[in-house]
Amino acid sequence: MTQTGRQTGRAARPAIRRLALAAALGAGVATGQAPWDLWWIALPALGALTALIAAEVRGPRLVWLGWIGGAGYFAAGLFWIVEPFQVDAARDAWMAPFALVFMAFGMALFWALAGGVAALGRGPATRAAGFALGLVATDLLRGYVFTGFPWALVGHVWIGTPVMQAAAFVGPVGLSALATFAAALPMLGRRPAARAGLAALAALAIGAVWAGGTVRLAAPEPQRDSPIRVRLIQPNAAQALKWRGDMWRIFLDRQMAQTAAPAAAPLDLVVWPETAVPFLLEDAGGLFSQIAEASGGVPAAVGIQRVEGMRYFNSLAAADGSGEVHAVYDKWHLVPFGEYIPYGDVMAEFGISAFAAREGNGYSPGPGAQVLDLGRAGKVLPLICYEAVFPQDLRAAPERADWVLQVTNDAWFGNVAGPYQHFAQGRLRAVEQGLPLLRAANTGVTAVIDAKGRVLDSLPLNTEGVLDAEVPAALAPTPYARTGDLPAAFLIGIGLLALAATRRRVSD
């Protein structure tokens, strides 16, 4: 490379210390994610990153800062991505560092795109607004592009606070907008006094939404005409042991014993978690009759795999009180590289197969969202694991359910952050839809969540036990349940056009 080329490269890229600062600030933004939930650290960190970007003039440097800031964010927020590689460490552990690096820098491309949106601005104020808008736009894109991965959205910092109630109206992308524009607002002022005033305005805006959420939480709760009582089973089967020949019978017997345990009140449904048994539905034999006998004739919903020809499915089978299977739901939003491998036939030649698929190299997707009529337990919208990450998957149901049932196996995600982040998103789905969500998790967190996202009861991570609970009542369909992300997409489009128009006026 010539000296001129090296100088051009240095001009296009910020100094290393500025990139390091961007990465550190991105990691600071990640502290707002579960299990830390430090929104009061995450927002100032996001504000500082926005200021760092707004102060930059050259467009390529804005992209660099966004990319490296995003890499810090995703590396700190999604570090649990290495955990699946530890289940069979002798075979897979060597891939874990590469997975973390590729995931962090790959997901950070969305933040690089946000930096590109900031480059449309001609001054610090419009660059700050552009970066905030870009983050909101890319949070929306992350839910849909390449099958979607809307995990660790910026707006998730509000989960567990009264601000989360706003998701019933504006969805998760609206929560992201509140966070990013609150962080950017002080940058719109030219002088310190103006910036201080705008920071106070941002705090007032957050306070107003917080107060509105508090009022919503205090509103009277509807009551069901007749109670629905459900038992959620948490066997605590460690993933490394779950399928072992000397252990699977122990876990199966454990779930049978949990099913047979006395209940304080008559039950309407017993739920076993995702892939609760080590064999296919077609090979289950008298399993469901045994469950019915153990439960005293209570209907059951069991996570189990099944096969049709050469196609395997990750499923939920519902049986009546006599042990007769009457409904099956097949998971349709699969985890790339976890449950199926893109171009799987080619990848299999290199020994690469999906982590979670017990049979074959991967699962096939089911036909789509369903609502199951479970008799006394009501109409249930089933979700299997990863599907609870996607608001659009709940809205895709052909009719409104009485409640949402998620069966999951979060043993893949480790013990620090992954299971808690997955659990937190279930709380957000409940608020968005105005529906209670019950969660049966293999190793936890098993929980009962009401239609406002409150955790009414739960079992801790890495414990075995049962959770008997009444299903909370549903609320009326929320505005977000009716419209989804369309209003957010429309407003983002208007914002991008306005930013581009501002740039054009300045250029003229």
Side-chain angles (χ1 to χ4, degrees), residues 12 33 90 135 154 192 194 224 241 279 297 320 365 368 381 400 419 460 466 498:
Q33 302 295 319
L135 289 179
V154 176
R224 290 192 179 277
L241 304 176
F279 39 76
D320 61 22
L381 172 61
R400 186 166 173 81
V466 300

mmCIF file with all atom_site columns, all heavy atoms in Angstrom, residues 12 33 90 135 154 192 194 224 241 279 297 320 365 368 381 400 419 460 466 498:
data_model
loop_
_atom_site.group_PDB
_atom_site.id
_atom_site.type_symbol
_atom_site.label_atom_id
_atom_site.label_alt_id
_atom_site.label_comp_id
_atom_site.label_asym_id
_atom_site.label_entity_id
_atom_site.label_seq_id
_atom_site.pdbx_PDB_ins_code
_atom_site.Cartn_x
_atom_site.Cartn_y
_atom_site.Cartn_z
_atom_site.occupancy
_atom_site.B_iso_or_equiv
_atom_site.pdbx_formal_charge
_atom_site.auth_seq_id
_atom_site.auth_comp_id
_atom_site.auth_asym_id
_atom_site.auth_atom_id
_atom_site.pdbx_PDB_model_num
ATOM 1   N N   . ALA A 1 12  ? -10.186 7.580   7.072  1.00 0.00 ? 12  ALA A N   1
ATOM 2   C CA  . ALA A 1 12  ? -11.525 6.986   7.060  1.00 0.00 ? 12  ALA A CA  1
ATOM 3   C C   . ALA A 1 12  ? -11.856 6.287   8.373  1.00 0.00 ? 12  ALA A C   1
ATOM 4   O O   . ALA A 1 12  ? -13.024 6.060   8.670  1.00 0.00 ? 12  ALA A O   1
ATOM 5   C CB  . ALA A 1 12  ? -11.638 5.998   5.900  1.00 0.00 ? 12  ALA A CB  1
ATOM 6   N N   . GLN A 1 33  ? -29.558 -4.935  29.846 1.00 0.00 ? 33  GLN A N   1
ATOM 7   C CA  . GLN A 1 33  ? -30.204 -6.206  29.550 1.00 0.00 ? 33  GLN A CA  1
ATOM 8   C C   . GLN A 1 33  ? -30.245 -7.085  30.798 1.00 0.00 ? 33  GLN A C   1
ATOM 9   O O   . GLN A 1 33  ? -29.449 -6.935  31.724 1.00 0.00 ? 33  GLN A O   1
ATOM 10  C CB  . GLN A 1 33  ? -29.451 -6.924  28.431 1.00 0.00 ? 33  GLN A CB  1
ATOM 11  C CG  . GLN A 1 33  ? -29.342 -6.133  27.142 1.00 0.00 ? 33  GLN A CG  1
ATOM 12  C CD  . GLN A 1 33  ? -30.688 -5.895  26.472 1.00 0.00 ? 33  GLN A CD  1
ATOM 13  O OE1 . GLN A 1 33  ? -31.542 -6.780  26.431 1.00 0.00 ? 33  GLN A OE1 1
ATOM 14  N NE2 . GLN A 1 33  ? -30.878 -4.692  25.942 1.00 0.00 ? 33  GLN A NE2 1
ATOM 15  N N   . ALA A 1 90  ? -15.768 -31.442 24.287 1.00 0.00 ? 90  ALA A N   1
ATOM 16  C CA  . ALA A 1 90  ? -14.694 -32.128 23.578 1.00 0.00 ? 90  ALA A CA  1
ATOM 17  C C   . ALA A 1 90  ? -14.827 -31.969 22.072 1.00 0.00 ? 90  ALA A C   1
ATOM 18  O O   . ALA A 1 90  ? -13.836 -31.903 21.345 1.00 0.00 ? 90  ALA A O   1
ATOM 19  C CB  . ALA A 1 90  ? -14.693 -33.610 23.956 1.00 0.00 ? 90  ALA A CB  1
ATOM 20  N N   . LEU A 1 135 ? -30.755 3.390   15.151 1.00 0.00 ? 135 LEU A N   1
ATOM 21  C CA  . LEU A 1 135 ? -30.852 2.279   16.088 1.00 0.00 ? 135 LEU A CA  1
ATOM 22  C C   . LEU A 1 135 ? -32.271 1.729   16.162 1.00 0.00 ? 135 LEU A C   1
ATOM 23  O O   . LEU A 1 135 ? -32.485 0.515   16.232 1.00 0.00 ? 135 LEU A O   1
ATOM 24  C CB  . LEU A 1 135 ? -30.383 2.703   17.477 1.00 0.00 ? 135 LEU A CB  1
ATOM 25  C CG  . LEU A 1 135 ? -28.883 2.940   17.661 1.00 0.00 ? 135 LEU A CG  1
ATOM 26  C CD1 . LEU A 1 135 ? -28.592 3.366   19.094 1.00 0.00 ? 135 LEU A CD1 1
ATOM 27  C CD2 . LEU A 1 135 ? -28.078 1.690   17.317 1.00 0.00 ? 135 LEU A CD2 1
ATOM 28  N N   . VAL A 1 154 ? -32.506 -2.512  22.082 1.00 0.00 ? 154 VAL A N   1
ATOM 29  C CA  . VAL A 1 154 ? -32.217 -1.420  23.016 1.00 0.00 ? 154 VAL A CA  1
ATOM 30  C C   . VAL A 1 154 ? -33.391 -1.207  23.970 1.00 0.00 ? 154 VAL A C   1
ATOM 31  O O   . VAL A 1 154 ? -33.211 -0.977  25.172 1.00 0.00 ? 154 VAL A O   1
ATOM 32  C CB  . VAL A 1 154 ? -31.905 -0.123  22.244 1.00 0.00 ? 154 VAL A CB  1
ATOM 33  C CG1 . VAL A 1 154 ? -31.695 1.040   23.215 1.00 0.00 ? 154 VAL A CG1 1
ATOM 34  C CG2 . VAL A 1 154 ? -30.664 -0.304  21.367 1.00 0.00 ? 154 VAL A CG2 1
ATOM 35  N N   . PRO A 1 192 ? -24.127 24.364  26.647 1.00 0.00 ? 192 PRO A N   1
ATOM 36  C CA  . PRO A 1 192 ? -24.298 23.498  27.821 1.00 0.00 ? 192 PRO A CA  1
ATOM 37  C C   . PRO A 1 192 ? -25.628 23.695  28.540 1.00 0.00 ? 192 PRO A C   1
ATOM 38  O O   . PRO A 1 192 ? -26.248 22.724  28.971 1.00 0.00 ? 192 PRO A O   1
ATOM 39  C CB  . PRO A 1 192 ? -23.118 23.879  28.717 1.00 0.00 ? 192 PRO A CB  1
ATOM 40  C CG  . PRO A 1 192 ? -22.066 24.343  27.753 1.00 0.00 ? 192 PRO A CG  1
ATOM 41  C CD  . PRO A 1 192 ? -22.813 25.052  26.655 1.00 0.00 ? 192 PRO A CD  1
ATOM 42  N N   . ALA A 1 194 ? -28.469 24.690  27.262 1.00 0.00 ? 194 ALA A N   1
ATOM 43  C CA  . ALA A 1 194 ? -29.525 24.095  26.449 1.00 0.00 ? 194 ALA A CA  1
ATOM 44  C C   . ALA A 1 194 ? -29.505 22.573  26.559 1.00 0.00 ? 194 ALA A C   1
ATOM 45  O O   . ALA A 1 194 ? -30.547 21.918  26.648 1.00 0.00 ? 194 ALA A O   1
ATOM 46  C CB  . ALA A 1 194 ? -29.377 24.525  24.993 1.00 0.00 ? 194 ALA A CB  1
ATOM 47  N N   . ARG A 1 224 ? -61.592 -14.308 35.565 1.00 0.00 ? 224 ARG A N   1
ATOM 48  C CA  . ARG A 1 224 ? -62.142 -15.362 34.732 1.00 0.00 ? 224 ARG A CA  1
ATOM 49  C C   . ARG A 1 224 ? -63.487 -15.835 35.294 1.00 0.00 ? 224 ARG A C   1
ATOM 50  O O   . ARG A 1 224 ? -63.702 -15.837 36.508 1.00 0.00 ? 224 ARG A O   1
ATOM 51  C CB  . ARG A 1 224 ? -61.181 -16.551 34.675 1.00 0.00 ? 224 ARG A CB  1
ATOM 52  C CG  . ARG A 1 224 ? -59.924 -16.272 33.884 1.00 0.00 ? 224 ARG A CG  1
ATOM 53  C CD  . ARG A 1 224 ? -59.165 -17.559 33.615 1.00 0.00 ? 224 ARG A CD  1
ATOM 54  N NE  . ARG A 1 224 ? -57.969 -17.295 32.826 1.00 0.00 ? 224 ARG A NE  1
ATOM 55  C CZ  . ARG A 1 224 ? -57.959 -17.170 31.507 1.00 0.00 ? 224 ARG A CZ  1
ATOM 56  N NH1 . ARG A 1 224 ? -59.092 -17.299 30.827 1.00 0.00 ? 224 ARG A NH1 1
ATOM 57  N NH2 . ARG A 1 224 ? -56.836 -16.921 30.859 1.00 0.00 ? 224 ARG A NH2 1
ATOM 58  N N   . LEU A 1 241 ? -26.533 -34.110 30.145 1.00 0.00 ? 241 LEU A N   1
ATOM 59  C CA  . LEU A 1 241 ? -26.972 -35.409 30.670 1.00 0.00 ? 241 LEU A CA  1
ATOM 60  C C   . LEU A 1 241 ? -28.310 -35.854 30.103 1.00 0.00 ? 241 LEU A C   1
ATOM 61  O O   . LEU A 1 241 ? -28.663 -37.042 30.201 1.00 0.00 ? 241 LEU A O   1
ATOM 62  C CB  . LEU A 1 241 ? -27.104 -35.327 32.202 1.00 0.00 ? 241 LEU A CB  1
ATOM 63  C CG  . LEU A 1 241 ? -25.866 -34.888 32.982 1.00 0.00 ? 241 LEU A CG  1
ATOM 64  C CD1 . LEU A 1 241 ? -26.211 -34.766 34.461 1.00 0.00 ? 241 LEU A CD1 1
ATOM 65  C CD2 . LEU A 1 241 ? -24.718 -35.847 32.770 1.00 0.00 ? 241 LEU A CD2 1
ATOM 66  N N   . PHE A 1 279 ? -37.524 -39.792 23.100 1.00 0.00 ? 279 PHE A N   1
ATOM 67  C CA  . PHE A 1 279 ? -37.932 -40.583 21.948 1.00 0.00 ? 279 PHE A CA  1
ATOM 68  C C   . PHE A 1 279 ? -39.010 -39.840 21.179 1.00 0.00 ? 279 PHE A C   1
ATOM 69  O O   . PHE A 1 279 ? -39.558 -38.833 21.641 1.00 0.00 ? 279 PHE A O   1
ATOM 70  C CB  . PHE A 1 279 ? -38.409 -41.978 22.366 1.00 0.00 ? 279 PHE A CB  1
ATOM 71  C CG  . PHE A 1 279 ? -39.224 -41.998 23.628 1.00 0.00 ? 279 PHE A CG  1
ATOM 72  C CD1 . PHE A 1 279 ? -40.549 -41.576 23.641 1.00 0.00 ? 279 PHE A CD1 1
ATOM 73  C CD2 . PHE A 1 279 ? -38.658 -42.438 24.818 1.00 0.00 ? 279 PHE A CD2 1
ATOM 74  C CE1 . PHE A 1 279 ? -41.293 -41.601 24.803 1.00 0.00 ? 279 PHE A CE1 1
ATOM 75  C CE2 . PHE A 1 279 ? -39.394 -42.463 25.985 1.00 0.00 ? 279 PHE A CE2 1
ATOM 76  C CZ  . PHE A 1 279 ? -40.716 -42.040 25.979 1.00 0.00 ? 279 PHE A CZ  1
ATOM 77  N N   . GLY A 1 297 ? -55.993 -38.567 35.518 1.00 0.00 ? 297 GLY A N   1
ATOM 78  C CA  . GLY A 1 297 ? -56.905 -38.223 34.436 1.00 0.00 ? 297 GLY A CA  1
ATOM 79  C C   . GLY A 1 297 ? -56.894 -36.765 34.034 1.00 0.00 ? 297 GLY A C   1
ATOM 80  O O   . GLY A 1 297 ? -57.855 -36.277 33.429 1.00 0.00 ? 297 GLY A O   1
ATOM 81  N N   . ASP A 1 320 ? -55.736 -35.934 26.039 1.00 0.00 ? 320 ASP A N   1
ATOM 82  C CA  . ASP A 1 320 ? -56.851 -35.779 26.964 1.00 0.00 ? 320 ASP A CA  1
ATOM 83  C C   . ASP A 1 320 ? -56.608 -36.603 28.222 1.00 0.00 ? 320 ASP A C   1
ATOM 84  O O   . ASP A 1 320 ? -55.554 -37.216 28.395 1.00 0.00 ? 320 ASP A O   1
ATOM 85  C CB  . ASP A 1 320 ? -58.173 -36.144 26.282 1.00 0.00 ? 320 ASP A CB  1
ATOM 86  C CG  . ASP A 1 320 ? -58.201 -37.597 25.793 1.00 0.00 ? 320 ASP A CG  1
ATOM 87  O OD1 . ASP A 1 320 ? -57.427 -38.434 26.325 1.00 0.00 ? 320 ASP A OD1 1
ATOM 88  O OD2 . ASP A 1 320 ? -58.992 -37.905 24.875 1.00 0.00 ? 320 ASP A OD2 1
ATOM 89  N N   . PRO A 1 365 ? -39.730 -26.953 9.620  1.00 0.00 ? 365 PRO A N   1
ATOM 90  C CA  . PRO A 1 365 ? -40.688 -26.033 10.246 1.00 0.00 ? 365 PRO A CA  1
ATOM 91  C C   . PRO A 1 365 ? -42.120 -26.540 10.098 1.00 0.00 ? 365 PRO A C   1
ATOM 92  O O   . PRO A 1 365 ? -42.476 -27.184 9.110  1.00 0.00 ? 365 PRO A O   1
ATOM 93  C CB  . PRO A 1 365 ? -40.488 -24.741 9.451  1.00 0.00 ? 365 PRO A CB  1
ATOM 94  C CG  . PRO A 1 365 ? -40.005 -25.205 8.113  1.00 0.00 ? 365 PRO A CG  1
ATOM 95  C CD  . PRO A 1 365 ? -39.177 -26.421 8.371  1.00 0.00 ? 365 PRO A CD  1
ATOM 96  N N   . GLY A 1 368 ? -47.254 -23.212 10.777 1.00 0.00 ? 368 GLY A N   1
ATOM 97  C CA  . GLY A 1 368 ? -47.464 -21.844 11.238 1.00 0.00 ? 368 GLY A CA  1
ATOM 98  C C   . GLY A 1 368 ? -48.128 -21.800 12.600 1.00 0.00 ? 368 GLY A C   1
ATOM 99  O O   . GLY A 1 368 ? -48.327 -22.829 13.264 1.00 0.00 ? 368 GLY A O   1
ATOM 100 N N   . LEU A 1 381 ? -52.446 -20.498 22.876 1.00 0.00 ? 381 LEU A N   1
ATOM 101 C CA  . LEU A 1 381 ? -51.479 -20.229 21.818 1.00 0.00 ? 381 LEU A CA  1
ATOM 102 C C   . LEU A 1 381 ? -50.145 -20.822 22.245 1.00 0.00 ? 381 LEU A C   1
ATOM 103 O O   . LEU A 1 381 ? -49.505 -20.315 23.166 1.00 0.00 ? 381 LEU A O   1
ATOM 104 C CB  . LEU A 1 381 ? -51.340 -18.723 21.593 1.00 0.00 ? 381 LEU A CB  1
ATOM 105 C CG  . LEU A 1 381 ? -50.219 -18.262 20.642 1.00 0.00 ? 381 LEU A CG  1
ATOM 106 C CD1 . LEU A 1 381 ? -50.426 -18.823 19.239 1.00 0.00 ? 381 LEU A CD1 1
ATOM 107 C CD2 . LEU A 1 381 ? -50.137 -16.739 20.608 1.00 0.00 ? 381 LEU A CD2 1
ATOM 108 N N   . ARG A 1 400 ? -57.741 -15.200 18.565 1.00 0.00 ? 400 ARG A N   1
ATOM 109 C CA  . ARG A 1 400 ? -57.179 -14.777 19.850 1.00 0.00 ? 400 ARG A CA  1
ATOM 110 C C   . ARG A 1 400 ? -57.355 -15.895 20.868 1.00 0.00 ? 400 ARG A C   1
ATOM 111 O O   . ARG A 1 400 ? -58.444 -16.457 21.034 1.00 0.00 ? 400 ARG A O   1
ATOM 112 C CB  . ARG A 1 400 ? -57.854 -13.496 20.341 1.00 0.00 ? 400 ARG A CB  1
ATOM 113 C CG  . ARG A 1 400 ? -57.209 -12.928 21.625 1.00 0.00 ? 400 ARG A CG  1
ATOM 114 C CD  . ARG A 1 400 ? -57.678 -11.517 21.862 1.00 0.00 ? 400 ARG A CD  1
ATOM 115 N NE  . ARG A 1 400 ? -57.230 -10.976 23.137 1.00 0.00 ? 400 ARG A NE  1
ATOM 116 C CZ  . ARG A 1 400 ? -56.020 -10.455 23.357 1.00 0.00 ? 400 ARG A CZ  1
ATOM 117 N NH1 . ARG A 1 400 ? -55.142 -10.418 22.367 1.00 0.00 ? 400 ARG A NH1 1
ATOM 118 N NH2 . ARG A 1 400 ? -55.695 -9.969  24.545 1.00 0.00 ? 400 ARG A NH2 1
ATOM 119 N N   . PRO A 1 419 ? -30.768 -17.550 29.866 1.00 0.00 ? 419 PRO A N   1
ATOM 120 C CA  . PRO A 1 419 ? -32.112 -17.913 30.304 1.00 0.00 ? 419 PRO A CA  1
ATOM 121 C C   . PRO A 1 419 ? -32.924 -16.729 30.816 1.00 0.00 ? 419 PRO A C   1
ATOM 122 O O   . PRO A 1 419 ? -34.141 -16.662 30.609 1.00 0.00 ? 419 PRO A O   1
ATOM 123 C CB  . PRO A 1 419 ? -31.848 -18.927 31.430 1.00 0.00 ? 419 PRO A CB  1
ATOM 124 C CG  . PRO A 1 419 ? -30.494 -19.469 31.147 1.00 0.00 ? 419 PRO A CG  1
ATOM 125 C CD  . PRO A 1 419 ? -29.724 -18.325 30.567 1.00 0.00 ? 419 PRO A CD  1
ATOM 126 N N   . PRO A 1 460 ? -36.955 -21.121 40.536 1.00 0.00 ? 460 PRO A N   1
ATOM 127 C CA  . PRO A 1 460 ? -35.614 -20.616 40.230 1.00 0.00 ? 460 PRO A CA  1
ATOM 128 C C   . PRO A 1 460 ? -34.913 -21.474 39.179 1.00 0.00 ? 460 PRO A C   1
ATOM 129 O O   . PRO A 1 460 ? -35.244 -22.651 38.971 1.00 0.00 ? 460 PRO A O   1
ATOM 130 C CB  . PRO A 1 460 ? -34.878 -20.688 41.575 1.00 0.00 ? 460 PRO A CB  1
ATOM 131 C CG  . PRO A 1 460 ? -35.947 -20.803 42.604 1.00 0.00 ? 460 PRO A CG  1
ATOM 132 C CD  . PRO A 1 460 ? -37.086 -21.518 41.951 1.00 0.00 ? 460 PRO A CD  1
ATOM 133 N N   . VAL A 1 466 ? -42.399 -28.402 40.773 1.00 0.00 ? 466 VAL A N   1
ATOM 134 C CA  . VAL A 1 466 ? -43.641 -28.166 40.049 1.00 0.00 ? 466 VAL A CA  1
ATOM 135 C C   . VAL A 1 466 ? -44.204 -26.825 40.481 1.00 0.00 ? 466 VAL A C   1
ATOM 136 O O   . VAL A 1 466 ? -43.976 -26.370 41.611 1.00 0.00 ? 466 VAL A O   1
ATOM 137 C CB  . VAL A 1 466 ? -44.673 -29.279 40.293 1.00 0.00 ? 466 VAL A CB  1
ATOM 138 C CG1 . VAL A 1 466 ? -44.140 -30.623 39.834 1.00 0.00 ? 466 VAL A CG1 1
ATOM 139 C CG2 . VAL A 1 466 ? -45.092 -29.340 41.758 1.00 0.00 ? 466 VAL A CG2 1
ATOM 140 N N   . ALA A 1 498 ? -37.294 12.690  6.352  1.00 0.00 ? 498 ALA A N   1
ATOM 141 C CA  . ALA A 1 498 ? -37.064 14.033  6.883  1.00 0.00 ? 498 ALA A CA  1
ATOM 142 C C   . ALA A 1 498 ? -35.573 14.297  7.062  1.00 0.00 ? 498 ALA A C   1
ATOM 143 O O   . ALA A 1 498 ? -35.080 15.400  6.762  1.00 0.00 ? 498 ALA A O   1
ATOM 144 C CB  . ALA A 1 498 ? -37.799 14.196  8.217  1.00 0.00 ? 498 ALA A CB  1
#
